[in-house]
Amino acid sequence: MQRTLGIFTALVLVLAALCLPAGRSEAAGLQDADFSCRGAMLGASEAELFKAWGEPLFDRTEIRQGVTVKVYVYKDHYEAAVDKSGHVVDFLIKNDRYEARNGIRLGATSYWIQKTYGKTERQRLDGAAYYIYTREGHPHDHLLLGIDAQDGYLTSMRITSLPLTDEEAEKRALEDDAEEGELEPRFAEKKIDTSALGKAEPPVLKEVRP
């Protein structure tokens, strides 16, 4: 009886071991780390970017989705863009050797992408297909994963807080204008103190005779 029970227990343990995944795999779902690249977080300061990435090869100023940014270009096809506030708003990754969490890299399958980040529907931007993930609590932060329209494998990676569409860019511009407009009443309340200047004497007209 005891021998039979021992054999049964051993079989249960073997079956349980077979049910475990062969390799280490993280549960599906977004993490804050998914909105960082090579040790720099989306929203990091320019100084934090340089500390993580080092000095760029060169930089250029351009307009992306209606926002003026300074783009820092690094070797191995990495780019980071900083807005006028001095914070990182865009990472563009073109290096096919770069690996994100859970081994995600260019060429990854749709199955592995959604197993890592969660299930989502394909969306189209400028005619291309993407899986778009949004950071919880940060509605402007997006993970854009470009995919092959036919086979669904990963073709591009971008982490950005820039507007994704022209409509979103226009809405963001209006919000920025509204925030800047809120400062005007506070300035209007301030009056210039002219008491120390004294009072100007009224002009006296003198008759000039030829």
Side-chain angles (χ1 to χ4, degrees):
M1 180 68 179
Q2 291 181 347
R3 182 180 179 183
T4 302
L5 182 61
I7 294 174
F8 177 76
T9 302
L11 288 173
V12 170
L13 293 175
V14 170
L15 289 173
L18 291 175
C19 291
L20 293 174
R24 182 180 178 183
S25 177
E26 300 179 38
L30 287 173
Q31 300 179 10
D32 283 343
D34 298 327
F35 298 88
S36 66
C37 179
R38 300 170 65 202
M41 195 77 183
L42 194 66
S45 67
E46 196 174 63
E48 290 170 330
L49 171 67
F50 292 161
K51 183 178 180 180
W53 286 28
E55 291 296 322
L57 297 176
F58 62 91
D59 63 74
R60 63 176 183 267
T61 299
E62 62 182 57
I63 297 177
R64 291 186 176 180
Q65 285 301 118
V67 179
T68 301
V69 295
K70 178 176 284 188
V71 180
Y72 293 105
V73 179
Y74 288 79
K75 65 179 183 179
D76 299 327
H77 307 292
Y78 293 100
E79 293 183 5
V82 175
D83 67 2
K84 63 182 180 181
S85 72
H87 293 86
V88 177
V89 293
D90 201 28
F91 290 120
L92 190 58
I93 305 159
K94 301 178 182 178
N95 189 316
D96 58 6
R97 291 174 296 177
Y98 172 78
E99 286 194 6
R101 181 169 60 90
N102 218 15
I104 293 292
R105 60 188 296 177
L106 297 185
T109 63
S110 290
Y111 166 79
W112 197 247
I113 292 170
Q114 297 194 72
K115 182 178 178 63
T116 300
Y117 301 117
K119 292 186 178 295
T120 186
E121 297 295 327
R122 296 185 185 185
Q123 301 183 49
R124 301 195 75 83
L125 287 176
D126 298 327
Y130 289 88
Y131 288 129
I132 301 177
Y133 295 91
T134 302
R135 185 181 177 192
E136 185 177 1
H138 302 265
H140 295 317
D141 292 2
H142 303 290
L143 172 63
L144 272 65
L145 302 177
I147 56 174
D148 181 81
Q150 181 175 351
D151 297 325
Y153 60 84
L154 185 62
T155 59
S156 66
M157 301 179 68
R158 184 180 180 189
I159 305 168
T160 187
S161 59
L162 294 174
L164 301 184
T165 64
D166 292 338
E167 292 78 8
E168 187 178 338
E170 292 177 2
K171 181 180 179 181
R172 190 88 64 88
L174 291 174
E175 291 174 352
D176 292 343
D177 289 344
E179 290 179 0
E180 292 177 2
E182 289 176 357
L183 299 176
E184 296 178 1
R186 288 185 291 178
F187 286 109
E189 292 172 0
K190 295 182 179 180
K191 296 182 179 180
I192 300 175
D193 184 4
T194 60
S195 59
L197 299 178
K199 295 183 179 180
E201 296 294 332
V204 177
L205 298 179
K206 295 182 178 180
E207 183 180 354
V208 178
R209 295 181 179 181

